[in-house]
Amino acid sequence: MNITRYAALAAASTVALALAACTPAADKAAPADAAAMAPATADPMVGGAAMSPNDTIVANAAKASTLTTLVSAVQAAGLAETLSGAGPFTVFAPDNAAFEKVPAATRTALMAPAGKAALTKILTYHVVPGRLTAADIATQAQANGGTATLTTVQGETLKVAAGPNNTWVITDAKGGTSTIRQADVAQSNGMVHVIDTVLMPN
């Protein structure tokens, strides 16, 4: 996975303002095959911890043993306060195993102060404005030839389409793919879908 080159970005505070300005945009109709994305219950377990729909994205992620790298990255990028705000946001959350697929040297560089801009670009590429459920994504895919195109806060798009064995697969700007492993983890300020590979913008 090549993530060694990134364009210069605005300061994290500018990204935070852009995130805070986001408004929801999703059709709430649920198609018949939305169950293929395996929506979770009202209080699903992630990383051995119950995810309360009354807690924020950051507060819930901090409880999950499988999301510790993501939480550290969000803190390093200075996005914790923003993702604890009103939102709503939809976050495609890479678990710890997803981050392990990124070369160790690259992870270290991204977490260093000098890597903050590149890290912010990657993290905001995992955030979509609004509260998108599994049904919303399936509806968009059905209406667009089988593929939903989602515009991220970072500005580039993600493509989501049905994959093998009733899974849904996200294709990033570099052509890499990630599978949604747990959908519809409700948050007070949005929705989280746990994924198995870090998504990469151009």
Side-chain angles (χ1 to χ4, degrees):
M1 181 178 300
N2 181 7
I3 58 173
T4 57
R5 299 182 62 189
Y6 298 98
L9 302 173
S13 58
T14 302
V15 176
L17 288 174
L19 276 165
C22 294
T23 55
D27 177 6
K28 298 300 178 182
D33 67 351
M37 291 188 71
T41 60
D43 294 282
M45 300 292 289
V46 177
M51 302 287 101
S52 171
N54 297 317
D55 288 339
T56 67
I57 292 166
V58 174
N60 271 324
K63 304 174 199 174
S65 64
T66 54
L67 298 178
T68 55
T69 304
L70 175 62
V71 171
S72 295
V74 166
Q75 292 170 341
L79 295 174
E81 183 176 356
T82 299
L83 290 175
S84 297
F89 314 112
T90 296
V91 176
F92 295 98
D95 60 16
N96 291 350
F99 280 100
E100 287 295 323
K101 296 178 183 179
V102 179
T106 301
R107 295 199 310 269
T108 299
L110 287 169
M111 295 294 283
K116 185 175 182 179
L119 179 62
T120 300
K121 180 177 182 178
I122 292 171
L123 292 178
T124 54
Y125 188 56
H126 290 73
V127 182
V128 174
R131 184 188 298 267
L132 289 172
T133 65
D136 297 326
I137 296 170
T139 295
Q140 290 191 30
Q142 285 190 334
N144 292 279
T147 300
T149 300
L150 309 178
T151 300
T152 68
V153 168
Q154 180 266 346
E156 295 180 69
T157 60
L158 298 169
K159 306 285 187 180
V160 189
N165 302 317
N166 291 327
T167 60
W168 283 75
V169 176
I170 307 168
T171 301
D172 64 25
K174 292 184 177 296
T177 59
S178 181
T179 300
I180 296 177
R181 294 303 185 190
Q182 186 171 3
D184 287 355
V185 185
Q187 319 285 313
S188 64
N189 61 339
M191 190 67 62
V192 165
H193 305 287
V194 180
I195 61 175
D196 67 359
T197 305
V198 177
L199 301 164
M200 293 297 166
N202 280 317

